[in-house]
Amino acid sequence: MIKLNYKFADNAVINNGIEIEREFDNYKTKIAEIIQDLNQRKDKPEQGLQWMNLGYSEETVWYVKEYASLVKDRFENILVLGIGGSALGGIAVTEALLKPYWNFLTKEQRNGYPRIFFLDNIDPDSMSALFDNLDWEKTLVNVITKSGDTTEIMAQFMIVKDRLEKELGDNYRRNIVATTDKNVGVLRQIAEQEGYKTFVIPDDVVGRYSVFSAVGLLPLALVGIDIDEMVNGIKDMDLALKNTDIRNNVAAQNALIHYLYDRQKGRNITILMPYSSRLKYIPDWFTQLWAESLGKELDLSGNKVNFGLTPVKAAGATDQHSLIQLCNEGPDDKLITFIRVENFDKTLEIPHIFEYTGVGYLGGKSINNLLNAEAEATKVTLNDHDKPTLTITMPEITPYYIGQLLYMFEVQTAITGALYNINPFNQPGIEQAKDYTYALMGRAGYEGSAEALKTTFDKISKTVIS
Ligand code: PA5
């Protein structure tokens, strides 16, 4: 199993830390209640907790694998259209589990599997460049949106569908697979009218908790990632996290430590820093999960609380030359979590080619030694500055452990939300900007938002700043 080490966040090791073991005792009952409550509600509708059952959805895994094997030899490229929760999980997991620089490898080096491109943004230059260079006949487009009408995704899709139709004529439908809600949304209507192959995003699974549904599993299976192993990792972690004893539950420990560092010590910035380039997009995925789930204006009783823990993405060793100066000497508002990997796939030796004092010591060591030394040195320096750190250790980067890691973060987020007494499964704060975008683009039904925008722009234009 992946492990959590919280020693370097304990008051026994740093000044002004929290007394972790004592707090585990203080919160023992509360945490047990939260874990029990999540597990009791996870099968009920409208609780936002269906993501806790995704590891057990054998049917989805079977259909995804069947479709992936059917299309394997037909396509050289997978183009995923999505944004936020529809894309971040796929990006993070493919980057971690595919051979590095996958899209540059030959077909043989990719074991016959296609290249994969995630279009998780709208940008006229980069979109045009990608579209002009794809061989459309050999490209399978997976359009993913839970709501079925997210502006960015549907705009991407309209361009891509038009292009496919122009290039392939009537056969273009075979190059599209849609992942969306089973009933709701424009994409569902289009898919049914047009006859696309579809996969369903289950009810009560919002985007940021959807990586283990067809949203993530389909792109992963299409490029040959062993999703059965990933599901085994999720299930084993789920079993471990059902344990109501905080001393045996890493997600609960991590949640409580973050919560208390915010409440007691004002450390409300969460930095996630993997020491592995293959894990570098895990913090992007985590950022959305943590920010959209925990940043809330109202608590569950309707009180205005404006809670939130601000996530910051980092990469070791790169950000030792960027963020770490601030972490060591700046304000006491951060809690840093390192992700460490025990065994890398490769060992890369540094050759003995120079005898100069400044570099000679590196010869004969490995990049593996160096990365570990850098991580240790950073942790101890932070400790010297009385800055708390946590370390998550993965034995190796495999589908099994990636399944464990991501699922642990999801449960950790749900428990943290419960500690703050907020709803971690909605995102009311982003709906208003979506409505304003619809209004600016002239969508019918958003005249009220257009009026509100006009009032604001008028007010601002009349404001004189002296
Ligand atoms: O977590 C969420 O629910 C959101 O961030 C969504 O993933 C994002 O807004 C995309 O939404 P949709 O999948 O409905 O297109």
Side-chain angles (χ1 to χ4, degrees):
M1 300 296 284
I2 60 171
K3 294 191 198 88
L4 173 71
N5 184 336
Y6 49 77
K7 232 186 221 162
F8 281 75
D10 192 272
N11 196 47
V13 175
I14 56 163
N15 288 315
N16 201 22
I18 59 170
E19 288 182 41
I20 294 180
E21 298 298 332
R22 191 168 62 96
E23 297 295 1
F24 283 177
D25 287 337
N26 293 344
Y27 279 84
K28 201 173 158 38
T29 313
K30 171 94 184 150
I31 289 288
E33 281 168 9
I34 291 173
I35 296 168
Q36 247 163 18
D37 176 60
L38 287 172
N39 282 290
Q40 272 163 10
R41 286 191 295 124
K42 77 185 172 64
D43 296 319
K44 299 187 182 148
E46 289 168 28
Q47 303 294 313
L49 287 167
Q50 273 305 317
W51 55 271
M52 293 182 79
N53 297 319
L54 294 175
Y56 301 93
S57 180
E58 286 169 18
E59 217 186 12
T60 306
V61 173
W62 191 88
Y63 280 120
V64 160
K65 281 184 357 191
E66 194 213 23
Y67 177 74
S69 72
L70 270 177
V71 299
K72 181 181 174 213
D73 296 323
R74 272 190 33 219
F75 297 105
E76 281 178 10
N77 307 305
I78 306 298
L79 173 60
V80 179
L81 308 180
I83 200 163
S86 311
L88 288 162
I91 296 172
V93 178
T94 49
E95 187 73 17
L97 296 176
L98 291 179
K99 290 180 193 162
Y101 303 104
W102 179 256
N103 287 346
F104 293 116
L105 304 182
T106 62
K107 196 168 178 182
E108 291 67 44
Q109 289 170 319
R110 287 186 266 113
N111 301 328
Y113 288 102
R115 302 180 199 91
I116 188 158
F117 300 90
F118 287 89
L119 200 54
D120 69 330
N121 202 354
I122 44 167
D123 175 86
D125 297 339
S126 65
M127 286 167 74
S128 305
L130 179 62
F131 296 163
D132 289 346
N133 284 291
L134 282 174
D135 176 349
W136 288 99
E137 194 170 352
K138 302 227 167 81
T139 300
L140 176 67
V141 176
N142 182 198
V143 51
I144 310 177
T145 163
K146 165 84 172 163
S147 59
D149 64 2
T150 295
T151 317
E152 296 90 340
I153 304 169
M154 293 314 286
Q156 292 170 349
F157 180 64
M158 286 158 84
I159 298 169
V160 165
K161 188 247 175 197
D162 186 53
R163 189 93 182 225
L164 276 173
E165 203 169 353
K166 284 185 177 132
E167 303 256 349
L168 310 182
D170 271 354
N171 282 335
Y172 74 93
R173 291 178 181 81
R174 297 175 353 142
N175 292 46
I176 298 175
V177 52
T179 307
T180 191
D181 190 88
K182 66 177 182 304
N183 301 314
V184 178
V186 185
L187 183 62
R188 171 57 61 188
Q189 284 174 32
I190 296 173
E192 279 178 9
Q193 267 161 23
E194 293 256 317
Y196 306 149
K197 170 76 186 167
T198 62
F199 285 87
V200 169
I201 308 175
D203 292 342
D204 297 323
V205 178
V206 287
R208 58 194 179 276
Y209 293 86
S210 70
V211 58
F212 299 128
S213 71
V215 168
L217 294 184
L218 180 59
L220 302 182
L222 286 167
V223 289
I225 289 172
D226 187 345
I227 59 173
D228 288 318
E229 265 305 289
M230 179 172 293
V231 164
N232 287 340
I234 304 164
K235 286 198 281 205
D236 286 353
M237 183 51 85
D238 184 53
L239 197 64
L241 300 184
K242 282 196 163 74
N243 197 321
T244 54
D245 178 0
I246 186 165
R247 287 208 151 70
N248 292 309
N249 187 314
V250 281
Q253 293 172 353
N254 224 341
L256 185 65
I257 293 169
H258 279 88
Y259 171 74
L260 292 177
Y261 261 110
D262 171 32
R263 301 280 84 190
Q264 294 183 3
K265 307 289 175 188
R267 291 186 178 274
N268 56 16
I269 297 177
T270 304
I271 300 184
L272 187 61
M273 186 165 178
Y275 272 78
S276 152
S277 294
R278 290 170 61 192
L279 300 182
K280 77 173 174 200
Y281 290 112
I282 302 284
D284 287 59
W285 171 83
F286 175 79
T287 292
Q288 189 212 12
L289 179 70
W290 204 238
E292 277 192 0
S293 300
L294 302 180
K296 295 290 147 76
E297 181 173 37
L298 303 178
D299 69 10
L300 289 173
S301 317
N303 303 311
K304 198 166 187 300
V305 288
N306 296 108
F307 281 140
L309 291 168
T310 303
V312 173
K313 332 173 211 184
T318 311
D319 283 305
Q320 289 174 202
H321 302 266
S322 161
L323 274 178
I324 292 297
Q325 165 66 30
L326 174 71
C327 296
N328 276 327
E329 296 190 4
D332 286 327
D333 52 5
K334 302 168 202 67
L335 176 56
I336 302 171
T337 299
F338 300 118
I339 306 178
R340 302 278 299 274
V341 179
E342 275 170 353
N343 296 301
F344 287 88
D345 285 1
K346 308 264 184 203
T347 302
L348 184 59
E349 300 289 343
I350 307 171
H352 259 302
I353 52 168
F354 296 122
E355 295 303 334
Y356 302 99
T357 320
V359 292
Y361 69 95
L362 289 171
K365 312 275 174 32
S366 68
I367 291 293
N368 311 52
N369 303 141
L370 179 58
L371 192 62
N372 281 330
E374 301 230 8
E376 287 300 296
T378 304
K379 185 172 71 180
V380 175
T381 311
L382 284 159
N383 183 258
D384 292 345
H385 287 85
D386 287 324
K387 311 295 184 188
T389 61
L390 301 165
T391 301
I392 294 168
T393 307
M394 292 175 77
E396 51 192 354
I397 304 176
T398 60
Y400 180 76
Y401 292 115
I402 290 290
Q404 284 197 6
L405 182 72
L406 268 50
Y407 186 72
M408 185 206 69
F409 279 136
E410 291 179 342
V411 176
Q412 171 189 327
T413 307
I415 296 174
T416 312
L419 286 165
Y420 281 106
N421 191 35
I422 49 113
N423 179 356
F425 310 117
N426 65 3
Q427 53 286 325
I430 61 172
E431 302 305 336
Q432 196 171 358
K434 284 189 180 179
D435 290 354
Y436 283 156
T437 308
Y438 295 146
L440 286 166
M441 296 298 284
R443 179 171 169 177
Y446 289 83
E447 294 76 11
S449 297
E451 204 43 51
L453 271 170
K454 191 175 167 316
T455 311
T456 305
F457 285 139
D458 286 350
K459 195 169 116 198
I460 292 168
S461 70
K462 285 182 196 134
T463 305
V464 180
I465 300 171
S466 53

